[in-house]
Amino acid sequence: MTETLLIILLTAAAYLLGSVSNAVWIGKTFYGTDVREHGSHNAGATNTMRILGRRAGIAVFVLDFLKGFIAVSLAALLPYAAGSPALFNMKFVLTAAVVLGHIFPLFAGFRGGKGVAVLLCLATFAVVFMLCRYVSLASMTAGILLPVYTVFVFGQHYLPLILFCCAVSVLLLITHRKNIGRLLAGTEPKTYFRKRPDRTE
C-alpha cells in the first residue's frame, strides 16, 4: 500500500469515527429521544446533559473524547518520525477530519454537534505551538486547559465530569514526562514547516 493511499484511508477512517454521533444513538437507544429535536438542537454533550441528564451527558462527553483521541492516534500507523513536521501535519489533518465528522456525521443525516470543545483545544494547541514551536508543550497546554474550559467556558460543574477532565490532563502529563525533562533541560527539538536559514551568532 502506498503512503498516499494510506493517508487517504486514515483520513476517511477519522471522518467515519467522527460521524459516530454518540449523543444521537445514546438518546435514541436508551431514552427514545433525539436530542437534536430539543434544547439547543445540538448533538453534543452539553445539550444531552440538559435534555437527558448528567449520566447521558457524561457518557457522550467521554465517548466523543475517545473517538477524537483514537482518530488522531491513527497517525502512528504512518512511518513518520516522532516530532517531525509530517507527523504534525497528519495529526492536524486527522483532527480536522474527526471534527468534520462530528459536526456533519454521515451516520446521523449530517446533523451533529458543534465540536466546540475540540476546536477550542485545537486553537489553544495552535497558538502555543506558533509561539514556541514545541509540539509537546502545545499538546500539554491544551490538555491542561481542558478542565478549565469545561468549568469556565462550558459552565459544567458536575464533579465526575471535572474529575474525568483532570484525569485526562494528568495522564497527558505522564505520557509526556520525557518531553517535560527535555524541555527543562533545553534539549526538546522545535518543529518548523520549512527549512530555517542558517544564522551566524
Side-chain angles (χ1 to χ4, degrees):
M1 182 181 298
T2 65
E3 182 178 312
T4 301
L5 179 58
L6 182 57
I7 289 174
I8 293 173
L9 291 176
L10 292 179
T11 303
Y15 169 77
L16 293 176
L17 275 172
S19 289
V20 178
S21 186
N22 296 302
V24 173
W25 76 260
I26 286 178
K28 288 184 175 181
T29 302
F30 299 102
Y31 298 87
T33 300
D34 188 341
V35 296
R36 297 173 298 178
E37 304 302 326
H38 305 276
S40 65
H41 305 285
N42 176 42
T46 300
N47 195 45
T48 300
M49 187 174 297
R50 183 184 301 118
I51 303 303
L52 304 179
R54 289 175 174 175
R55 182 179 299 180
I58 290 175
V60 171
F61 181 91
V62 172
L63 291 174
D64 281 350
F65 174 83
L66 288 176
K67 74 181 182 182
F69 176 80
I70 293 171
V72 176
S73 297
L74 293 175
L77 297 176
L78 287 163
Y80 296 148
S84 67
L87 182 62
F88 173 84
N89 289 339
M90 192 61 208
K91 286 185 176 181
F92 184 86
V93 169
L94 293 174
T95 300
V98 73
V99 171
L100 186 65
H102 179 74
I103 300 174
F104 303 106
L106 176 65
F107 307 128
F110 299 100
R111 293 173 57 204
K114 296 178 180 178
V116 176
V118 176
L119 291 174
L120 192 56
C121 288
L122 182 60
T124 301
F125 175 93
V127 170
V128 176
F129 173 76
M130 293 303 296
L131 291 174
C132 68
R133 295 294 177 175
Y134 289 120
V135 172
S136 57
L137 183 58
S139 300
M140 288 186 287
T141 303
I144 290 171
L145 288 178
L146 177 61
V148 177
Y149 292 150
T150 300
V151 174
F152 295 103
V153 178
F154 301 105
Q156 300 299 328
H157 298 92
Y158 187 50
L159 185 58
L161 178 59
I162 297 172
L163 291 177
F164 171 79
C165 294
C166 290
V168 170
S169 298
V170 171
L171 181 61
L172 191 63
L173 291 176
I174 292 174
T175 57
H176 282 78
R177 58 188 181 279
K178 292 183 179 179
N179 301 90
I180 294 173
R182 289 195 294 267
L183 285 167
L184 293 174
T187 57
E188 178 77 347
K190 293 186 177 183
T191 300
Y192 296 90
F193 298 109
R194 58 183 179 181
K195 187 177 180 180
R196 303 181 71 201
D198 293 333
R199 295 182 301 177
T200 57
E201 300 296 338

